[in-house]
Amino acid sequence: MPTSGGALRIAVYAFDGVTMFHLSVPQLVFDEVTRQGLGDWTTVLFSDVAGSIRTAEGYPIGEVRGPSAAEDADVVVVPSWFEDGRAAGQVLRQTLRTAHGRGATIAGLCLGAVAVADAGLLSRRTAVTHWQAVDMLAARHRDVGVDASVLYIDHGDVLTSAGTASAIDACLHLVRGRLGAAAANRVARSLVVAPHREGGQAQYIERPLPAQAANDPIAAVLEWALRHLAEPLPVERLADVAHLSRRTFIRAFQASTGVTPAVWVRRQRLDEARRLLESTDLPIDQVAANCGFGSTVTLRQRFAAAFHTSPSEYRRRFDARAADIGTARHGR
């Protein structure tokens, strides 16, 4: 895997009807790596056949390469997909499978996850896509676990992201994984975007709002739970805070958040653990206690399952304080 200063070649799939925004995001983020002197990263556009494409806005883009442009790419990106959700063609599917087979990272951003799934690269894995396409993707590929609550999911070799602007988050995540937190923060600052956003796209999914949203018991429980993550938070306790029966609470909670109370609490604890690892020098056992995991062993197990790394390794790679110090030393 390339390190700081190394060369990386990214091939981005272009097609008739792609929006300028989706097509530009990977080029904007990855080309900024080179502009900032952090590495020799280059992007190239390719399609099923060489020639030109026309964007959704009506702009023609010429000199788009053919599938051979992806043959030596380290990363192959499908930045979006057709709004009608049509099946990916044989040329693209084979291009993605071949690239993946020789070790390239495959990224399906926004609706691009549909094409990656069509290529068979998400079988028996979890994935995310734009929330409007979640049901379609889940129905078409029943062997794919679709999670609509996150901004992106990285399996190391295959990456998918949620809708639209989440593509920026996913591309910055790839920069962070390849070059470290300092490089990702530097790219993010140059682009004037957040280096890491909390939460997921569940907050954007259209759901009926409670008749009295200001007095929503679920919203009150969420706010209360975030202040008490260090304490035991069984569903019975959360239901008591909401003044609802256990069954009614679980039903209302899932309707509001899209996940069970246990899953939501675990995610908040993991997010808080990441925040503490990135921004403090607390011992790992104290991080575990502050986040309500009960023991270091439990934290490590949950952390490894969610992020495929250990808390110590995560701190080493993503220490925001070290990134800020490095940035200051460069006079930025």
Side-chain angles (χ1 to χ4, degrees):
M1 185 174 290
T3 57
S4 181
L8 194 75
R9 181 177 171 82
I10 302 105
V12 182
Y13 183 71
F15 57 90
D16 283 323
V18 66
T19 68
M20 292 290 290
F21 179 87
H22 289 104
L23 192 60
S24 67
V25 164
Q27 299 176 85
L28 180 69
V29 175
F30 298 145
D31 288 355
E32 191 64 23
V33 169
T34 299
R35 286 189 287 268
Q36 292 294 321
L38 300 167
D40 182 17
W41 288 27
T42 59
T43 56
V44 60
L45 298 181
F46 78 97
S47 194
D48 293 338
V49 295
S52 64
I53 60 105
R54 183 174 293 274
T55 70
E57 297 80 7
Y59 298 113
I61 297 180
E63 299 185 10
V64 175
R65 302 276 300 278
S68 62
E71 289 179 355
D72 61 350
D74 302 292
V75 180
V76 179
V77 180
V78 183
S80 184
W81 195 240
F82 299 93
E83 291 188 1
D84 61 11
R86 70 189 66 174
Q90 176 61 29
V91 172
L92 177 59
R93 285 186 280 128
Q94 187 58 51
T95 298
L96 295 177
R97 286 196 291 261
T98 300
H100 179 262
R102 60 174 173 74
T105 297
I106 308 299
L109 308 180
C110 194
L111 295 180
V114 174
V116 175
D118 287 347
L121 302 182
L122 292 171
S123 179
R124 295 183 296 279
R125 289 181 163 187
T126 54
V128 62
T129 188
H130 192 288
W131 60 266
Q132 291 178 318
V134 162
D135 291 340
M136 180 270 288
L137 179 58
R140 189 147 107 198
H141 295 284
R142 297 186 181 279
D143 58 343
V144 177
V146 185
D147 185 349
S149 66
V150 294
L151 294 178
Y152 54 81
I153 296 175
D154 183 12
H155 293 286
D157 57 333
V158 180
L159 171 72
T160 55
S161 79
T164 316
S166 300
I168 298 176
D169 300 292
C171 289
L172 283 172
H173 169 76
L174 194 150
V175 174
R176 188 183 303 114
R178 298 267 176 163
L179 300 177
N185 287 0
R186 187 168 170 182
V187 169
R189 287 191 183 98
S190 182
L191 299 178
V192 197
V193 297
H196 175 74
R197 288 194 299 160
E198 297 296 335
Q201 67 173 342
Q203 59 190 307
Y204 303 111
I205 297 176
E206 292 175 346
R207 292 193 182 96
L209 294 177
Q212 295 179 318
N215 298 317
D216 179 10
I218 302 303
V221 167
L222 298 183
E223 183 179 353
W224 178 89
L226 290 174
R227 298 196 305 268
H228 295 80
L229 287 177
E231 305 170 18
L233 295 175
V235 65
E236 291 79 10
R237 187 180 184 192
L238 297 176
D240 286 343
V241 172
H243 303 294
L244 296 173
S245 70
R246 187 180 189 276
R247 178 176 297 181
T248 299
F249 171 74
I250 293 175
R251 185 167 56 248
F253 193 97
Q254 289 186 283
S256 179
T257 67
V259 296
T260 65
V263 168
W264 184 88
V265 169
R266 183 172 68 249
R267 287 176 179 168
Q268 304 316 306
R269 285 176 166 158
L270 285 168
D271 281 345
E272 178 64 5
R274 289 199 300 180
R275 186 189 70 80
L276 293 175
L277 291 169
E278 292 174 2
S279 60
T280 76
D281 58 1
L282 287 174
I284 301 300
D285 59 348
Q286 189 61 57
V287 171
N290 287 3
C291 298
F293 285 106
S295 71
T296 303
V297 172
T298 301
L299 169 61
R300 287 174 178 157
Q301 290 173 339
R302 296 294 191 186
F303 210 87
F307 307 123
H308 308 289
T309 189
S310 68
S312 297
E313 176 63 15
Y314 183 89
R315 168 172 275 168
R316 186 186 70 78
R317 294 179 62 190
F318 301 129
D319 192 330
R321 296 164 302 148
D324 289 340
I325 292 172
T327 300
R329 286 175 178 169
H330 282 85
R332 295 185 63 84

